[in-house]
Each structure stands twice: as structure tokens, then as C-alpha cells.
Amino acid sequence: MVQEEARSLPLPPGPLMTKSESVLSPVRLSVRSPADEEGVHDSFQQLIAEHSDNGAASSALELQQLQSDLDEESRDNMPLSGPEHEHRRRQGASDLECDGGEMDPIQGEGWSSDTLKILSSMPSRTIGRNRGAIISQYCNKTLKLRRRRQTRPSIRDFSPSSRPSIRSYGMEGDTTDAEVSKRERLVNNLQNLPVSDRVRMLRGMPLSVAEKKEIRNLVMQKEKRILSNKKLSCCSQLKYYIIIAARKSWYSWLSFLHSLQPWQTLLKRVSGRFGTGVLSYFLFLKTLVFFNVFLFLVTGAFLVLPQAVHPPYRDTTSFSGLELLTGAGSFSHTVMYYGYYANYTLPRRSRDEGGGQNASTLTSDSQQFSYNMPLAYFFTIGMAFFITCIILVYSMSKTFGRSFRINKSNSILTMKTFSCWDFKVIKKKSVQIMSENIGTQLKELLAELTQKHTKSTFCKRFCRLMVHGVAWTICIASTTGCMAGVYYFSEFIHKDLQQNHRNLYVNPLMKEAKLLSLPTVVSVINLLLPALFNLVGWMETYESPSVFAYVAIGRNLMLKMSMLGILCFHWLGRVAPEYKSIGLTCWEDFVGQELYRFLLMDFIFTLLDTLFGELLWRLFSEKVLKRKRKPVFDIARNVLDLIYGQTLAWLGVLFSPVLPVVQILKLFLVFYIKMSSVMLNCQAPRKPYRASQMTTIFITLLCIPSLLGASVCVTYTMWSITPSTSCGPFRTLDTMFKAGKHWMEILEKDNPSLSVLSKAHTYFVENPFFLFVGAGIFLIVIYFHSQVVDGQRKIISLLQDQIQNEGEDKKFLINRLQSVHKQKQDAGKRLKSQDSTC
Amino acid sequence: MGNKQTIFTDEQLDAYQDCTFFTRKEILRLHGRYHELAPHLVPMDYTNEPDCKIPLALIVNMPELKENPFRNRIVESFSEDGMGNLSFNEFVDMFSVLSEMAPRELKAIYAFKIYDFNVDNYLCKEDLEKTLNKLTKEELTPEEVELVCEKTIEEADLDGDHKLSFADFENMISRAPDFLSTFHIRI
């Protein structure tokens, strides 16, 4: 490409070339657009001419030219009038102004028109402006892409004009045709790209839609022509039509998906009023809805549906209404809970239905179309977790890449200036608040920059440390206290259940209502302690708001995770081993119900929080305190609540495969309630909010403690806790994990030739060695990636140095140009004076 | 589509879909919005690509732009004639660049254009002053503005010419994680 362009320049007069080629070549190579080439070339030709005769004019022709140059210059310096000249004059003035720093003496001088002309045609100045520049830039891009792909049709598929030929080089010398031919080449390149790449390129081009449409039309025409030229065989014609049809349907599918996206207008209203920060809460909620929909689709398709088609037995308990709260009662023996699922292979025909519950084998002819419920249960839950994990890790890494760029820069002020205006905000008052915010932030930044860091005295620092220490002590102490409280309370409940089990004359309704006490206590703690943390947070002073936010998140997270830890211990360590002592036939059902209750309580307390914390507080502060300020929506705490709820849902999938539905309903309601509450009660946040970094952190939190914790619990349950002996798909097994082995044994018994498979299972799946190998490989991959990032960081710093050097070079060249021009000007004057004396 | 009146042919819609970040429905909605701005100027039928333009004053009154301090610059940057008259194509272009899907490079180019008030392809002190005054609604004192300009140029200027070229700007934008989410207007 570069070579072509170099050749395409009209050569300057022969002998001069050799002399100045070394100076010229870098400039020439960096020039892309033909239109620029002309301008630069002309200017340099003059420069070359200058060099060759050392300022001494040799011919009258040249003298004339100089004269005209001088005239032009003086015209340039004259004040211009009229709107169309205004801009040009301003440009010149601003150039002078901007470069009039004291640092560089040469830059202080006014530049001549030639220098300005060259400067204005430099490639970096024409980016985004010059159509030719853009087209040739994209020409290069497409070419690169094409080379990388290497999957293009062979050369005979090209139309003659797209093949590189000597003639096309000649054509490019002619600058009027250059753009046309460039465009033709771009069209060719685009045509040879696969459709998806082509569309991506087209969309990314900084050209106007009209122009893009034209290019697209040209590409399409060319494609059609080639297709008709080739005289398609029937087969490839069919292929062509299939491709077109597939594309059409893909587009309609896309627009269908798009119309599925819920809450578009609501989201727009929120973002118009509160900006990116509050919007990120609702977007996070939307992501959670999608995760749950996915989870439910998986469990619904592979567990609930097959089991619902083959109900094992009917056991109807009357519906009392309390079920909605406790999840127990008539809900117990439905597809909602683990205990309902069969431990045998589901038959294909319904006449086998109702066969022995503990039958684990069926006749061999139905086995071909059968559905092994224990295996399905095991793998569905496992795969659901695995895929969720992959999606989460993927989106986590993506947002990481987006929000934490490799090289942390120190240009905060620039970023503030150019990227802090939220173009989404459209409400007048919010706009006002935002510009005030930006003003104060800029002032703060300035104060920080101008004043050198004042050394705080030892006493002050000590005081601050003391305050932090006290704050952390309070937080940790209260969290530990709550943990202990929940621990003993759950023990008490457990003991109470044991006693009640012996005592037969207890109202069953009372018994069920009692079950609600533990979730209520935990939810109360979850509501009150964050408020305490907030109070403590006001006591402290932090240097930056982001540290403050991180500390608050850390404390809330500590609380929620410790609560969940205690609860998991209660369920898996206390209820599971001695479930018979509290009168349960199926502890998995019990845990599932508990999780249902927790989810519900969490929802109810979110409602209460919205009502009291936002609505009533707003009314109170408006009516009683007569303050105009409304409460600010606490994004971090609300997101953490969502994460807590999601952890509960993930924990519960194993015990209650329908739990994602409950979670989806809950999230829908929360969305509408929070949306209306925010619109009604809150005002735009005053603090700056780094939306993308916070989103990254929340996704990370959703992955690392939440999903990881839930999957550790689920894996532990599957691996080493004995399932209930009289219900659920794993009732005859020691652990759920044995389901695979059990199936293997059956398979081996039925079909001895498959014993290899069974052996493989014993060696590979049950051997921890391979687990270690897998983990090791994973770690190695992570290590390599971090090394690559490290290398890239080094390259970036090298490139930055290089940019600086280039800048120096540019300055040097401009100065050189300027001095040469000066010489020329002096020579002209001298000649003029000689003329006049003659 | 199945409406009583065809606004675009299928072919046109396909072309829009290929060239912008919008789906068919959104293109139709955009046309509706465009038509709303000047019902007497803009025809409903766009099948033969009528040549009509809406002046800046009308476009700037859209609720999406009305409160934006850079509204005039946004519209001007997307108009071919530089005066702020937008044809439907340019209108679509504007919201396509400002949409969620547009890549960082594309957004950076147009953001650069928007902030380049005097259209000299550099962000110099004058541009920065204007930007700052618009951002803060002239709340900063002239000295403060001066200082911010100086520091900003000092921070972001890589090649030492005391103004920000597109390369400097792009380099800075590539490290501002919030840029993608803030340079976005929902339509």
C-alpha cells in the first residue's frame, strides 16, 4: 500500500530528487489521502527548489512565482471580513495563540501561509474531515482484514478492475481520479469480505449514511454482476438464496429480540433524569432477570417438564393461603421441590407410569427412549451452574477490559472535561445539578493540583486512624454479634422443632408460621445493619469518594456473606444430618422451602425499605423539616441487596428447581417498585459516580462471592452429604455424585462391551488427579494472560515514547520549513530591491 | 411494512440496517420523530428519497437535545453543509453514532468534532475554554478556566504542540472508561 502511494506521487524534477529524498520520504510515506498528497507535495517541491539553488533565484519564472507568493501572503495577513473568512482568520489566530507559549522561541513567531498550508494538510489534521482520507484508511483496513482471513475466492473471481495492475497505479497519479479509484478499491475489498465483516466495517466508517449507502449499493451491484457472470450452477444458486434467506431471517430475529427488550422507555426516562449511575442499577437488575430466565429455561426444559408429564403420585393437601408465604403445605409435593422428582428412569409410554417408585431398572426396550431422572437432575444443575459461570466470567473480563484500561493514566482533568458530560440526561434540573457537580469537581481537582500535598500532622493522622479503627471495630463487632445471634437463634429454632416433633398436639398452622421467624430476623438484620454502617461512615472522612464507596460495599458484603455462611451451616451441618429428629422425611424439601421463605422475606423487606426509607423519609423531610432536598438513591446498597437475593436463588436451584421463576417474578416487581419510587422520591445524585467501574465491581461480586459461594455449597451438597432416603431422585444413593457411577454400573451390567466407558469414568471422573491437572492448566492460562498484559503494558509505554519523539520530529521539521521559507522571503526581498535599484 | 402507508421500501430498510446500528423498527421510529419535527416539510413517503432538510433550530428543540449544552455543535457536526441543516440520512447518522452499539473509535471521531468549536481539527485553548464554560454553565472564574485549560493540555498533549490533535484525544478517550456510556443518547 505504502509503496503504491509513494509511486503514485508525481516525481519531482530529476536531479533534485536525490538530494532531498531522505528528508522527504518519511513525510511522504505517512501521507495517505491523495488530496493531501497534492498539497504537501506542492509545498515540498518549493522547499526542494529552495534547497537546490540556495536562495539564489536563477530564472525569471521562479521570481515571478515568489512574487505571487509574497502577494498572497500579504493578502493573508490583511484583516478579512465576511462570515466565510471569519473562520479562517480565527483558525490562524488560534494557531498563533495556542502556539504562543514561552517554551519555544521559534513558535512564538507568526507562521507564514505556506507553513500553515502544509500544517493544515497534515494527515492528523484531516482525520474525520476529509472523505478521501477516510476512504483510503478504510481501504487499508479492509485489505488487512482480507489478508488475515485468507478465505477469499480465488483470483479469477475478481473483476478485472479489482486486480492490481500497472494501469491503476498510473491512474492514481492523476489526483482528480484518485478518490474515485480509492473508492473503487474500497468497494472491491468490501465485496470480498464476508458479510458480517462487511456490515461491521460499513457501520464503523465515519462517513455519512448517504455515502455508506452508495458504497453498499456498489458492492451489491458488483456482487450481483459477478454472480450472473459466473452462470451459477443450480447448487450454488440455491446456496446463494439460502444465504439471503438466512440473513433476512436473522435480521427479523434481531429486531424481534430487540422488541423483546423490556422497559426501553422506562430506562430512557430514568437515564434522562438520573444519568448513568442510577441507570446502572436497573441495567444490573435486567441482567439478573436474564440469568434467571436462562436458569429456568434449563431446569424447566430438562427437569420440571419431564417430571410434570409423568407425575409419580398425587397427594393433595388443601390450600390454606399460608403456603404463599412459607412455601410449605400444599406446595411441598409438587414440582417445586426436590422431593417430588423420581429416582427411576422415566418411561416413554405412559402405561408404565406409576410403577414402583424405587425401581431403578426398566425393561430394555423402553430404555432406548427413556429419561434417567437422577442423571438429568445431576447434569442439569451442574451444566446450569457451569454455563452461568462461563457467561459471568466472560462478561466480567469484558467489562474489566473496558473499564480498567491497561495503562492507568494521570490525565484526570482531561477525562473530566471530555468524558464526564452525560449526554443521556435530558431533564432541566438534573442538567443543572450535573453542571454544578462538574464545576465543583473541577475546582477540587484544581485545588489538589495547585496546592502541593499538605503534610498532615502526626496528631491529625493519628486521629483519623483512630476514627477508622473505631468505625471498623463497630462494624465488625456488630456483624459478629449478628452472626452469633443468628447462630443461636437458628439453634433455638432447631431445638424447638425437635421438641414440637415429639409433641404431637401442635397446630400445624402455628408450626408453619413459626418457620417464618428465622427469615424475618435475618431480613431485619439485613435492613438495619447497613443503616448503622451508613451512620458510621458519616463519622469517617475519606480522601476520595471512591474509597468511601468501596469501604461501604466491603462492609455490606461482609455482613451478607457471613449471614449466608451461617445459614448454609445451619442447613447443611445441622438440618441435613439429623433431619429425622425434627420430623422431616425430606430435608432437601425443607431447605428449598427455607430458601423460598428467605427470598420472599427479602422481597417484603425491600418493599418496606422502599416505603419507609424513601417515600416516608421524603414526605418527612419535605413536610416536617421543610427541606427541599429529596433523598438520594443509594445505588451500591441496592445492588448488594440484589446480589444477596440472587445468591439465595442460586443456592436454592438444587433444592427447588422452580425457584428461578420466583426470583424472576420478584425482580419484575422490584423493578417497577424501585422505578416508581426513584421517579417519585429521589433526586439526581450529587456525588460523582463511576458507572463503568462500579458495574465491573458488581459483576465481579456477582461472580466471586455470590456464584462461587453458591456453587461451592451446591457441590459440597452433591459430593458429601447423604440425600434423604425416602424422597428425591437420589434416594438410594450415598451421595448425589454417585448417580453417575450408579448409571455406569447399570450400563455395564446391561451391556458388558461398554465396560471401558465405566472404567474411564472411574479413572477420569472420580480420580482427583485430573481435577488437579485441570486446575493447574487453568492457572497456567491465567498466568500467561497476565504475562501478555504485562508485555502489552511495556509496549504501550514504548509507543508513548515514540509518539513523543515523533512530536519532536514534527516540530523540528516545521521549524526547518519555516526557516527555509524565511530565507526564500529574504531572497525575494533582496531581488526586489535589486530590481528597484537597477 | 404492514402499515397503511409504505415509508421505506424493503431495500431501503435493508440498506439502513447495514449502514447504521439500528433495526428496521428503530429506523421507522426515527422517521416518525423526524417527521414530527416538521410535519409540513417532511413527507411521509420516503421511497424515492426526497431531498429535504430540517434547520438546526427545529432539531435542537428535540427533548433529547434540548438541555444539552453541546446541542448546536452536535447537530452541526453531523450536517453536511456545516450550518446545522439535517437531512433524514444525517439525522439517522447522528443517532447511530450516539447509540449504544457504536464502537469507541467512531464515537471518538465525532466527539472530537463536537468539541472542536472552531473547526480547525485541533482542540486548542479556545475550544477548551468554550467546552468548560458550557460544561459548568460559566460557574468557574476566567482564571480557573485558564488554569484548567493549561493543565488539561499539559496532561493530554503527547507530541508537545500545545494543543490536542485527534491522536491525543483518542489516546485520552481510550482510557476514559465512562466515555462509552456517557456519549450515548437513547432515542
Side-chain angles (χ1 to χ4, degrees):
Chain A
M1 189 67 224
V2 162
Q3 269 184 346
E4 284 170 24
E5 290 199 67
R7 250 195 277 179
S8 72
L9 281 171
L11 290 180
L16 309 176
M17 185 65 196
T18 49
K19 198 171 179 183
S20 49
E21 189 159 43
S22 58
V23 186
L24 272 176
S25 49
V27 180
R28 226 208 273 167
L29 291 183
S30 68
V31 173
R32 289 254 171 86
S33 117
D36 300 337
E37 279 165 18
E38 195 181 22
V40 176
H41 178 73
D42 283 348
S43 319
F44 271 100
Q45 218 168 13
Q46 283 173 11
L47 195 123
I48 294 157
E50 218 70 56
H51 264 284
S52 64
D53 50 25
N54 260 341
S58 53
S59 71
L61 195 81
E62 202 156 334
L63 210 148
Q64 246 175 4
Q65 195 194 341
L66 279 175
Q67 189 62 50
S68 66
D69 272 352
L70 279 171
D71 288 348
E72 195 185 298
E73 197 167 312
S74 58
R75 225 186 307 129
D76 262 0
N77 291 335
M78 273 199 302
L80 296 165
S81 56
E84 68 272 21
H85 292 299
E86 179 69 2
H87 152 63
R88 234 179 118 191
R89 196 165 57 86
R90 248 192 346 200
Q91 174 187 334
S94 68
D95 271 346
L96 293 182
E97 197 186 315
C98 293
D99 296 302
E102 298 77 32
M103 294 82 169
D104 209 312
I106 309 162
Q107 285 184 346
E109 298 169 22
W111 281 344
S112 63
S113 61
D114 276 348
T115 320
L116 284 179
K117 208 159 98 190
I118 293 174
L119 285 184
S120 69
S121 57
M122 279 195 314
S124 70
R125 283 202 165 193
T126 49
I127 289 176
R129 296 268 160 216
N130 192 321
R131 192 185 310 150
I134 295 168
I135 288 182
S136 70
Q137 193 190 348
Y138 271 83
C139 202
N140 287 347
K141 267 195 190 174
T142 46
L143 202 69
K144 258 185 228 155
L145 205 68
R146 228 173 87 192
R147 279 195 194 126
R148 216 173 50 217
R149 294 269 161 153
Q150 290 287 327
T151 55
R152 295 308 82 227
S154 57
I155 196 90
R156 69 191 153 79
D157 291 343
F158 285 44
S159 69
S161 66
S162 74
R163 279 185 217 160
S165 72
I166 303 292
R167 209 178 46 185
S168 73
Y169 290 144
M171 244 170 71
E172 274 185 18
D174 200 352
T175 43
T176 47
D177 287 341
E179 194 181 317
V180 179
S181 75
K182 270 270 154 63
R183 173 189 287 227
E184 204 165 294
R185 278 225 309 262
L186 177 66
V187 168
N188 277 327
N189 288 343
L190 278 177
Q191 186 230 316
N192 290 317
L193 284 176
V195 177
S196 61
D197 278 344
R198 186 196 303 164
V199 170
R200 204 160 45 84
M201 273 287 165
L202 264 179
R203 285 179 176 170
M205 264 183 223
L207 292 172
S208 69
V209 170
E211 212 131 346
K212 284 191 216 173
K213 269 160 81 181
E214 203 175 310
I215 290 178
R216 179 180 173 274
N217 274 347
L218 285 174
V219 172
M220 300 290 251
Q221 273 168 22
K222 193 154 248 169
E223 207 159 62
K224 254 183 212 154
R225 211 164 54 223
I226 287 175
L227 279 175
S228 61
N229 277 354
K230 271 205 310 195
K231 293 212 179 54
L232 286 172
S233 62
C234 174
C235 178
S236 57
Q237 207 159 11
L238 197 69
K239 198 175 109 196
Y240 181 69
Y241 284 124
I242 287 175
I243 287 172
I244 286 180
R247 204 161 138 243
K248 273 253 160 77
S249 59
W250 170 245
Y251 270 145
S252 50
W253 169 242
L254 270 187
S255 64
F256 169 70
L257 270 189
H258 198 266
S259 62
L260 259 191
Q261 284 202 344
W263 309 322
Q264 278 295 343
T265 47
L266 281 176
L267 287 177
K268 188 188 165 187
R269 260 172 46 204
V270 162
S271 67
R273 197 149 139 187
F274 298 98
T276 314
V278 177
L279 181 71
S280 68
Y281 167 80
F282 290 100
L283 290 179
F284 189 75
L285 207 158
K286 216 168 98 173
T287 342
L288 285 189
V289 171
F290 283 121
F291 273 116
N292 283 300
V293 167
F294 162 73
L295 205 57
F296 174 64
L297 283 182
V298 172
T299 56
F302 295 108
L303 296 181
V304 180
L305 208 65
Q307 189 64 58
V309 173
H310 301 278
Y313 56 86
R314 301 224 175 268
D315 175 27
T316 43
T317 324
S318 62
F319 183 76
S320 69
L322 197 65
E323 282 92 340
L324 283 178
L325 274 182
T326 62
S330 60
F331 281 177
S332 305
H333 302 292
T334 57
V335 279
M336 249 184 104
Y337 296 113
Y338 164 92
Y340 183 79
Y341 292 85
N343 70 333
Y344 49 86
T345 309
L346 294 177
R348 192 169 137 260
R349 278 156 305 192
S350 52
R351 73 178 156 82
D352 292 339
E353 176 197 320
Q357 278 174 44
N358 289 325
S360 45
T361 48
L362 281 157
T363 46
S364 55
D365 75 290
S366 72
Q367 209 156 36
Q368 276 176 325
F369 307 102
S370 59
Y371 197 78
N372 188 333
M373 202 61 203
L375 262 194
Y377 206 96
F378 184 79
F379 280 114
T380 307
I381 300 288
M383 284 318 280
F385 267 93
F386 186 65
I387 293 171
T388 313
C389 182
I390 284 181
I391 296 173
L392 257 182
V393 167
Y394 175 73
S395 55
M396 195 169 87
S397 65
K398 229 175 144 183
T399 57
F400 249 107
R402 221 180 291 147
S403 62
F404 297 97
R405 287 274 146 172
I406 295 168
N407 216 0
K408 278 270 166 202
S409 72
N410 48 2
S411 54
I412 323 154
L413 213 52
T414 330
M415 279 186 204
K416 267 267 127 49
T417 318
F418 289 120
S419 72
C420 71
W421 186 264
D422 205 334
F423 282 70
K424 284 200 272 299
V425 177
I426 52 176
K427 197 168 174 273
K428 193 165 186 185
K429 206 168 166 212
S430 307
V431 167
Q432 188 67 36
I433 290 178
M434 189 155 69
S435 57
E436 271 170 31
N437 274 346
I438 292 171
T440 44
Q441 281 168 43
L442 283 176
K443 275 182 196 165
E444 277 167 17
L445 276 177
L446 266 188
E448 238 171 69
L449 280 173
T450 45
Q451 282 176 14
K452 280 291 139 209
H453 230 57
T454 45
K455 277 235 166 181
S456 51
T457 58
F458 177 76
C459 185
K460 248 186 186 168
R461 256 169 42 203
F462 184 72
C463 277
R464 227 174 56 195
L465 270 182
M466 280 295 287
V467 171
H468 284 322
V470 169
W472 274 104
T473 322
I474 291 173
C475 293
I476 291 176
S478 54
T479 308
T480 334
C482 289
M483 270 171 76
V486 170
Y487 180 82
Y488 287 113
F489 187 70
S490 60
E491 198 174 12
F492 166 73
I493 294 272
H494 191 65
K495 291 250 168 74
D496 193 47
L497 277 175
Q498 279 174 343
Q499 274 174 4
N500 278 345
H501 168 53
R502 281 180 220 122
N503 181 2
L504 291 171
Y505 306 104
V506 179
N507 186 356
L509 271 181
M510 263 307 284
K511 207 170 141 193
E512 286 197 354
K514 257 187 187 169
L515 292 173
L516 284 173
S517 56
L518 185 62
T520 317
V521 167
V522 172
S523 296
V524 167
I525 289 174
N526 271 338
L527 186 69
L528 292 184
L529 270 200
L532 176 74
F533 293 163
N534 262 353
L535 273 180
V536 169
W538 279 339
M539 202 166 79
E540 299 168 286
T541 45
Y542 284 102
E543 272 167 13
S544 69
S546 60
V547 175
F548 180 72
Y550 290 144
V551 167
I553 289 174
R555 284 173 185 164
N556 278 315
L557 197 71
M558 182 178 73
L559 172 73
K560 297 217 154 114
M561 287 305 129
S562 55
M563 285 293 127
L564 284 173
I566 291 284
L567 290 175
C568 283
F569 169 75
H570 170 65
W571 292 321
L572 301 182
R574 222 184 256 149
V575 175
E578 33 189 279
Y579 63 96
K580 278 181 181 148
S581 73
I582 52 171
L584 293 174
T585 49
C586 193
W587 66 268
E588 288 91 347
D589 275 5
F590 178 74
V591 174
Q593 287 162 9
E594 287 266 281
L595 281 162
Y596 175 84
R597 286 191 284 266
F598 270 89
L599 258 184
L600 207 75
M601 275 297 151
D602 186 45
F603 172 62
I604 290 172
F605 275 82
T606 310
L607 280 190
L608 288 179
D609 181 36
T610 316
L611 186 70
F612 286 103
E614 286 165 13
L615 182 69
L616 289 185
W617 175 247
R618 196 233 344 164
L619 291 177
F620 178 73
S621 75
E622 260 182 11
K623 298 268 150 54
V624 183
L625 299 178
K626 302 280 178 214
R627 275 194 300 191
K628 273 201 117 179
R629 272 181 58 191
K630 291 175 171 180
V632 172
F633 187 70
D634 190 346
I635 303 160
R637 196 165 63 83
N638 279 299
V639 171
L640 282 177
D641 282 346
L642 286 184
I643 292 179
Y644 170 75
Q646 190 54 46
T647 318
L648 288 178
W650 275 329
L651 275 175
V653 178
L654 178 65
F655 307 111
S656 159
V658 196
L659 207 59
V661 180
V662 180
Q663 172 77 349
I664 291 169
L665 288 178
K666 181 192 143 189
L667 287 175
F668 261 91
L669 288 175
V670 165
F671 183 89
Y672 285 106
I673 289 163
K674 282 280 171 196
M675 179 68 80
S676 44
S677 160
V678 157
M679 285 302 208
L680 196 69
N681 303 321
C682 295
Q683 66 174 17
R686 297 201 159 257
K687 274 185 213 148
Y689 188 81
R690 293 201 197 150
S692 62
Q693 273 184 25
M694 280 296 169
T695 314
T696 315
I697 286 168
F698 292 140
I699 294 265
T700 316
L701 289 183
L702 190 66
C703 182
I704 297 288
S706 172
L707 180 70
L708 197 74
S711 45
V712 162
C713 275
V714 168
T715 320
Y716 176 74
T717 314
M718 283 179 164
W719 206 284
S720 55
I721 293 187
T722 319
S724 308
T725 46
S726 56
C727 66
F730 306 105
R731 61 193 85 169
T732 51
L733 302 168
D734 288 343
T735 62
M736 297 183 190
F737 185 68
K738 291 266 169 69
K741 197 174 167 62
H742 188 66
W743 182 65
M744 279 295 160
E745 276 164 7
I746 293 168
L747 211 66
E748 203 180 349
K749 229 192 297 175
D750 284 351
N751 199 347
S753 61
L754 284 175
S755 64
V756 188
L757 212 66
S758 142
K759 267 183 192 148
H761 182 264
T762 337
Y763 280 119
F764 289 107
V765 182
E766 286 168 31
N767 200 341
F769 175 71
F770 287 98
L771 201 68
F772 286 126
V773 168
I777 290 173
F778 188 62
L779 285 180
I780 288 172
V781 168
I782 289 178
Y783 176 74
F784 272 115
H785 268 277
S786 74
Q787 285 300 304
V788 166
V789 168
D790 214 37
Q792 279 170 344
R793 203 172 286 155
K794 276 180 191 139
I795 288 174
I796 283 176
S797 72
L798 276 179
L799 285 176
Q800 263 170 351
D801 284 348
Q802 214 167 324
I803 290 175
Q804 239 151 21
N805 284 338
E806 297 282 326
E808 293 293 322
D809 284 358
K810 195 174 92 185
K811 269 194 284 186
F812 172 77
L813 282 176
I814 291 171
N815 288 338
R816 239 347 233 281
L817 189 71
Q818 180 65 16
S819 65
V820 166
H821 185 82
K822 258 232 149 68
Q823 280 178 13
K824 184 176 79 176
Q825 217 172 326
D826 291 345
K829 273 180 193 154
R830 225 184 306 136
L831 275 174
K832 221 173 164 186
S833 59
Q834 273 174 12
D835 268 358
S836 60
T837 50
C838 276
Chain B
M1 311 283 284
N3 297 349
K4 44 202 177 298
Q5 191 183 8
T6 40
I7 301 171
F8 295 107
T9 59
D10 264 3
E11 181 58 30
Q12 274 176 315
L13 282 175
D14 273 351
Y16 276 121
Q17 219 160 356
D18 275 356
C19 298
T20 66
F21 296 95
F22 292 124
T23 59
R24 286 161 167 263
K25 268 191 187 151
E26 285 169 305
I27 292 290
L28 289 173
R29 203 167 77 224
L30 272 175
H31 178 265
R33 295 296 304 274
Y34 188 70
H35 180 78
E36 235 171 61
L37 287 173
H40 53 284
L41 273 178
V42 182
M44 270 316 266
D45 182 22
Y46 249 78
T47 43
N48 48 2
E49 312 223 349
D51 178 38
C52 79
K53 291 195 168 193
I54 294 186
L56 178 126
L58 285 176
I59 292 167
V60 155
N61 261 330
M62 285 177 77
E64 279 84 1
L65 294 173
K66 203 171 177 187
E67 296 300 330
N68 197 318
F70 301 105
R71 53 185 176 270
N72 287 1
R73 279 301 308 154
I74 295 176
V75 177
E76 276 163 20
S77 318
F78 285 95
S79 78
E80 193 92 313
D81 57 6
M83 303 294 288
N85 301 320
L86 289 193
S87 67
F88 179 65
N89 277 338
E90 287 154 6
F91 186 77
V92 171
D93 217 10
M94 178 164 83
F95 285 108
S96 169
V97 169
L98 285 166
S99 75
E100 201 169 9
M101 307 286 288
R104 191 185 287 267
E105 298 86 60
L106 191 63
K107 279 183 183 252
I109 285 176
Y110 283 96
F112 185 79
K113 279 187 183 182
I114 287 170
Y115 291 127
D116 182 13
F117 282 86
N118 56 10
V119 210
D120 65 346
N121 288 333
Y122 274 108
L123 296 182
C124 59
K125 222 169 182 170
E126 193 193 352
D127 296 324
L128 269 174
E129 274 167 17
K130 275 193 184 158
T131 309
L132 283 170
N133 281 333
K134 284 197 185 276
L135 270 182
T136 60
K137 302 241 155 91
E138 320 222 347
E139 279 213 354
L140 297 181
T141 61
E143 293 84 52
E144 278 171 333
V145 170
E146 177 87 353
L147 207 59
V148 173
C149 289
E150 252 172 44
K151 293 277 178 196
T152 304
I153 289 176
E154 203 174 288
E155 273 174 2
D157 184 22
L158 286 174
D159 51 7
D161 56 1
H162 302 291
K163 48 193 176 185
L164 307 183
S165 63
F166 179 70
D168 298 331
F169 185 76
E170 200 178 25
N171 182 41
M172 187 275 298
I173 284 296
S174 71
R175 290 158 186 198
D178 282 341
F179 173 72
L180 266 187
S181 55
T182 53
F183 196 71
H184 168 208
I185 293 180
R186 276 171 193 271
I187 179 80

